[in-house]
Amino acid sequence: ETGVTQSPTHLIKTRGQQVTLRCSSQSGHNTVSWYQQALGQGPQFIFQYYREEENGRGNFPPRFSGLQFPNYSSELNVNALELDDSALYLCASSFSLGGEQYFGPGTRLTVT
Amino acid sequence: DAKTTQPPSMDCAEGRAANLPCNHSTISGNEYVYWYRQIHSQGPQYIIHGLKNNETNEMASLIITEDRKSSTLILPHATLRDTAVYYCIVRGFISGNTPLVFGKGTRLSVIA
């Protein structure tokens, strides 16, 4: 059974640009959640997708958006990048909405 | 905001039991206690969760007090690879959006 994978591993973008991060969920999992982790902090919930629909959102602006595909893989898109968007972005999948969440290794985004 | 309080750091000698405390005095009846850990620069790893009974798996034991206001995660024989940040999380187990709300966790250092 493959675990959660994320791509790319690292990314450097310039302020104002747009970025897309990708996540492949663990086999059999239909729910994907995205988290942002700033340096020295715990992960903060961005949003969750369940069966291709957004199912909840944390305190993040609309320039953070996402998609979930029929195979339950997911994308996180961030528009108009700001310096404070520099962080580790984590994807987690679960078998169901309330199930244990299993995290990928993350994508380290640096905005300059 | 996180509903848990944990000490910021702890040390443990290799081979000894590591006992990580967590206070969650405002926990509700339908909320579970979850533990995750995060080894440097990796995604969080699920360890264990429980409602009111003590739980044990291959990684750890979870002891929840009778009033459910606090709990302790026990790593029975800590190794250097257990050095990580440990997060105690209170999470409602209902259908719908139930994200993990991370605090700052406890940084456990296992010392040879």
Side-chain angles (χ1 to χ4, degrees):
Chain A
E1 162 180 295
T2 16
V4 179
T5 60
Q6 293 186 243
S7 62
T9 307
H10 296 87
L11 200 53
I12 300 175
K13 289 286 190 178
T14 303
R15 190 171 51 183
Q17 286 187 315
Q18 178 266 341
V19 70
T20 297
L21 310 181
R22 294 179 175 81
C23 170
S24 290
S25 56
Q26 190 164 315
S27 177
H29 288 189
N30 59 17
T31 305
V32 173
S33 302
W34 285 91
Y35 293 80
Q36 180 197 65
Q37 186 174 23
L39 206 58
Q41 304 295 317
Q44 300 298 306
F45 175 69
I46 303 175
F47 45 55
Q48 181 182 74
Y49 278 82
Y50 171 65
R51 294 185 176 180
E52 304 178 58
E53 298 286 332
E54 186 178 296
N55 186 54
R57 191 178 185 91
N59 189 26
F60 281 82
R63 59 190 185 84
F64 286 79
S65 63
L67 281 174
Q68 188 180 30
F69 300 99
N71 66 355
Y72 302 132
S73 65
S74 177
E75 286 183 354
L76 164 66
N77 299 289
V78 187
N79 293 323
L81 284 167
E82 300 176 0
L83 297 178
D84 284 349
D85 295 333
S86 294
L88 180 68
Y89 287 85
L90 295 159
C91 162
S93 74
S94 57
F95 180 71
S96 61
L97 283 170
E100 295 87 61
Q101 295 187 6
Y102 294 89
F103 284 79
T107 294
R108 173 73 61 189
L109 172 65
T110 302
V111 181
T112 62
Chain B
D1 289 347
K3 296 180 67 173
T4 59
T5 304
Q6 299 177 252
S9 64
M10 293 181 63
D11 292 338
C12 178
E14 189 178 20
R16 303 296 294 269
N19 296 282
L20 293 95
C22 179
N23 287 321
H24 32 79
S25 59
T26 62
I27 193 169
S28 302
N30 65 346
E31 290 179 321
Y32 282 64
V33 179
Y34 275 73
W35 283 83
Y36 279 77
R37 73 180 182 183
Q38 188 172 24
I39 296 169
H40 182 63
S41 296
Q42 298 182 21
Q45 177 188 21
Y46 166 79
I47 301 173
I48 199 167
H49 74 280
L51 182 62
K52 54 182 178 181
N53 297 322
N54 298 337
E55 301 288 345
T56 296
N57 63 20
E58 65 279 3
M59 288 183 68
S61 294
L62 173 59
I63 309 299
I64 302 174
T65 58
E66 192 169 343
D67 63 7
R68 304 209 320 125
K69 292 185 177 182
S70 66
S71 60
T72 301
L73 179 75
I74 301 172
L75 307 179
H77 305 286
T79 71
L80 298 178
R81 287 177 292 182
D82 292 322
T83 293
V85 177
Y86 287 76
Y87 296 100
C88 171
I89 298 165
V90 166
R91 185 187 190 206
F93 194 69
I94 55 176
S95 62
N97 177 25
T98 53
L100 298 168
V101 181
F102 290 82
K104 292 193 174 182
T106 295
R107 183 172 298 278
L108 175 68
S109 297
V110 180
I111 302 166

